[in-house]
Amino acid sequence: MCRDCATRQRWTVLCTLSPIGDYAELREAVKIRDHISCRIQRIQAKVHNWLDRYFPEFLQVFTSWEGKAALETLNHFPLPQDIIEAGATQILTTWQKKIKRGLRPKRAMELVEQAKHSVGLCEGINMA
């Protein structure tokens, strides 16, 4: 069989096996979704790894790091040293800028207390 015939035959097989139209769109959407899901899982694992290393007590104060207050805290005060320096009042004012209801001053004080007694890494925080 000549090269052109083999190429034509492979092309015919590919055309019959690959979906066309809506099915092709659906296949691409599933591939994109799988890719995004894998990226999300990797990012979540990196955040959990970082929290376990530098501030393991964080999840004792917040049930999930994905909540509004938790994300604001990680954005503005990522390390226990930053939380201790800021204090409960500054943490509350930072939360009030983004979160309109459900603020708990007790949670801010608990966060500061947990930061004071944190067993997380203190070395290498500049690269964290």
Side-chain angles (χ1 to χ4, degrees):
M1 185 181 299
C2 70
R3 185 173 170 183
D4 291 337
C5 294
T7 305
R8 205 173 299 122
Q9 186 178 11
R10 274 185 266 149
W11 177 255
T12 307
V13 171
L14 281 176
C15 287
T16 58
L17 293 179
S18 15
I20 300 170
D22 291 341
Y23 294 107
E25 294 294 325
L26 184 60
R27 182 185 66 191
E28 286 301 314
V30 168
K31 282 183 5 185
I32 292 170
R33 181 187 175 278
D34 288 343
H35 179 70
I36 290 172
S37 296
C38 288
R39 288 185 66 192
I40 288 172
Q41 288 175 350
R42 275 184 279 183
I43 291 169
Q44 288 174 338
K46 286 180 183 181
V47 171
H48 277 284
N49 184 27
W50 191 92
L51 284 173
D52 288 345
R53 286 175 165 233
Y54 295 102
F55 196 10
E57 297 82 11
F58 187 83
L59 293 176
Q60 292 175 1
V61 178
F62 297 102
T63 54
S64 170
W65 63 267
E66 297 179 36
K68 289 180 185 177
L71 286 174
E72 279 301 304
T73 304
L74 288 174
N75 192 22
H76 293 284
F77 317 105
L79 296 169
Q81 296 86 346
D82 300 333
I83 292 171
I84 294 168
E85 288 175 14
T89 54
Q90 188 176 353
I91 292 171
L92 271 174
T93 56
T94 304
W95 288 350
Q96 287 171 347
K97 293 176 186 173
K98 294 278 183 170
I99 305 164
K100 302 301 177 198
R101 60 182 193 162
L103 292 173
R104 292 187 233 153
K106 194 173 185 179
R107 180 174 278 178
M109 289 186 285
E110 183 182 352
L111 184 66
V112 172
E113 282 302 311
Q114 291 290 343
K116 287 180 182 176
H117 304 293
S118 179
V119 295
L121 294 176
C122 296
E123 300 299 321
I125 58 175
N126 292 334
M127 296 302 289

